[in-house]
């Protein structure tokens, strides 16, 4: 199985084959047998990769179950059966949905606030060099601060409720989106801007038709990277001080030496992070479909 995984990973795509499909209006397979073979090979590779991923996950769970109580005390690592039993109890009792909804709400609000500010200021600083030069030392100084160090300050300002978690999450997201947007705007080819201005476009038209579309790939990259960090920022806020949320559940379970609940909370966060990442990949393919 490992050799098949390695062979699959070494199989490289042939972009020239995909790009060589002529636009005749006929199905691609009828026009290019090479393209049909390429697509079939890619489908086989995807199924093989998925099979290898499932096999690795099952092998990991089997080893975990075997090691618990035989190699390591269950007090330290619990076991997959205990964790999934706990997860089932949380699910049917509503305990999981209640705390998860709190965490996701804070994550979504923190992401919206941080990404919105980062995008607007990234556009502003990237478009106007004088503004960027004036504020560069301050941005650099604040960016160098560990964001977790700001959490106690946010808790003093906003209390232990939702607002402090949103503030921590937004602080983490802001710089990721800001720096990517700023770089994307700076990388826009000036020829495109000047050509649009010569044709009579005003500043807003240049921004809408040239700057933002050209910087889209950078912005998408920043958003893609920042969403998982929004979740991390929320959980950090819940660790520091909260009375609900998955982070609070993990922190409380750790204080009570309830290893099974700690692992259950971590698995919930891992599943949520994976689903968010899958959604971001889909959104990236949709928004950047013009590059295909």
């Amino acid at each position: 199985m490992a050799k098949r995984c390695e062979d699959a990973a070494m199989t490289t795509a042939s972009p020239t084959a995909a790009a060589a499909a002529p636009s005749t209006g006929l199905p691609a397979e009828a026009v290019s047998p090479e393209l049909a073979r390429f697509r079939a090979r890619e489908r086989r590779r995807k199924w093989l990769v998925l099979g290898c991923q499932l096999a690795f996950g099952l092998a990991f769970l089997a080893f975990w179950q075997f090691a618990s109580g035989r190699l390591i005390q269950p007090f330290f690592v619990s076991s997959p059966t205990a964790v999934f039993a706990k997860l089932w109890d949380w699910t049917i009792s509503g305990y999981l949905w209640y705390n998860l909804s709190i965490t996701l709400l804070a994550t979504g609000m923190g992401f919206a606030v941080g990404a919105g500010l980062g995008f607007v200021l990234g556009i502003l600083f990237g478009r106007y060099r004088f503004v960027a030069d004036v504020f560069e030392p301050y941005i650099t100084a604040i960016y160098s601060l560990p964001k977790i160090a700001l959490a106690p300050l946010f808790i003093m300002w906003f209390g232990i409720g939702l607002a402090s978690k949103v503030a921590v999450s937004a602080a983490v997201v802001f710089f990721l989106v800001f720096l990517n947007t700023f770089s994307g705007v700076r990388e826009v080819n000036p020829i495109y801007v000047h050509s649009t201005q010569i044709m009579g476009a005003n500043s807003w038209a240049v921004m809408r038709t040239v700057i933002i579309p050209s910087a889209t790939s950078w912005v998408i990259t920043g958003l893609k990277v920042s969403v998982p960090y929004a979740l991390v920022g929320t959980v950090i806020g819940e660790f520091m001080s909260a009375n609900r949320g998955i982070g609070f559940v993990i922190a409380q379970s750790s204080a009570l030496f309830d290893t099974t609940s700690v692992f259950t909370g971590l698995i919930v966060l891992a599943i949520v992070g994976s689903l968010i990442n899958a959604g971001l990949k889909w959104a990236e393919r949709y928004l950047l479909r013009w590059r295909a």
Side-chain angles (χ1 to χ4, degrees):
M1 179 64 75
K3 187 177 186 306
R4 296 186 67 185
C5 290
E6 183 180 352
D7 293 339
M10 293 177 66
T11 302
T12 56
S14 175
T16 55
S23 56
T24 60
L26 297 175
E29 288 79 359
V31 175
S32 173
E34 183 183 355
L35 178 60
R37 289 194 294 272
F38 168 73
R39 289 179 174 174
R41 188 167 62 248
E42 282 298 298
R43 283 195 294 269
R44 289 196 298 271
R45 180 182 180 277
K46 288 180 180 178
W47 281 109
L48 183 58
V49 170
L50 179 61
C52 292
Q53 290 173 340
L54 292 175
F56 177 79
L58 292 175
F60 174 77
L61 292 176
F63 176 76
W64 184 7
Q65 185 66 41
F66 171 79
S68 178
R70 294 181 176 86
L71 303 179
I72 308 174
Q73 291 294 325
F75 173 78
F76 296 106
V77 296
S78 188
S79 67
T81 53
V83 169
F84 285 112
K86 178 69 71 174
L87 183 60
W88 176 252
D89 290 340
W90 285 5
T91 302
I92 61 175
S93 66
Y95 183 73
L96 171 65
W97 306 118
Y98 172 73
N99 289 283
L100 183 59
S101 63
I102 299 296
T103 300
L104 292 179
L105 177 62
T107 301
M109 294 177 65
F111 174 77
V113 173
L117 290 174
F119 177 76
V120 172
L121 293 182
I123 293 286
L124 178 65
F125 282 43
R127 192 75 179 90
Y128 301 102
R129 189 180 185 89
F130 178 78
V131 176
D133 292 341
V134 170
F135 287 97
E136 180 184 5
Y138 301 102
I139 294 292
T140 303
I142 299 174
Y143 177 65
S144 63
L145 290 175
K147 304 304 173 292
I148 192 173
L150 300 176
L153 193 61
F154 290 144
I155 291 171
M156 285 192 295
W157 287 349
F158 303 111
I160 62 173
L162 181 66
S164 59
K165 294 185 289 185
V166 172
V168 175
S169 180
V172 175
V173 169
F174 169 78
F175 286 100
L176 296 173
V177 177
F178 169 77
L179 294 175
N180 277 277
T181 305
F182 176 76
S183 300
V185 174
R186 282 296 178 88
E187 291 295 325
V188 175
N189 194 331
I191 294 177
Y192 300 149
V193 177
H194 295 157
S195 299
T196 310
Q197 290 174 332
I198 290 173
M199 289 186 288
N202 55 26
S203 298
W204 169 242
V206 172
M207 182 72 69
R208 183 173 54 85
T209 60
V210 178
I211 302 295
I212 293 178
S214 299
T216 299
S217 59
W218 290 79
V219 175
I220 293 297
T221 301
L223 296 175
K224 184 179 176 182
V225 172
S226 63
V227 169
Y229 279 94
L231 180 62
V232 171
T234 301
V235 173
I236 288 175
E238 291 174 346
F239 278 163
M240 299 290 291
S241 179
N243 54 11
R244 66 195 76 177
I246 296 298
F248 164 74
V249 171
I250 295 175
Q252 187 184 46
S253 302
S254 177
L256 297 174
F257 300 102
D258 185 357
T259 311
T260 300
S261 296
V262 172
F263 273 98
T264 305
L266 293 175
I267 287 177
V268 169
L269 292 178
I271 293 173
V272 170
S274 299
L275 293 176
I276 290 175
N277 189 56
L280 289 172
K281 285 184 177 179
W282 178 86
E284 183 181 24
R285 286 196 299 270
Y286 177 77
L287 293 175
L288 300 180
R289 61 189 183 281
W290 53 272
R291 294 197 312 186

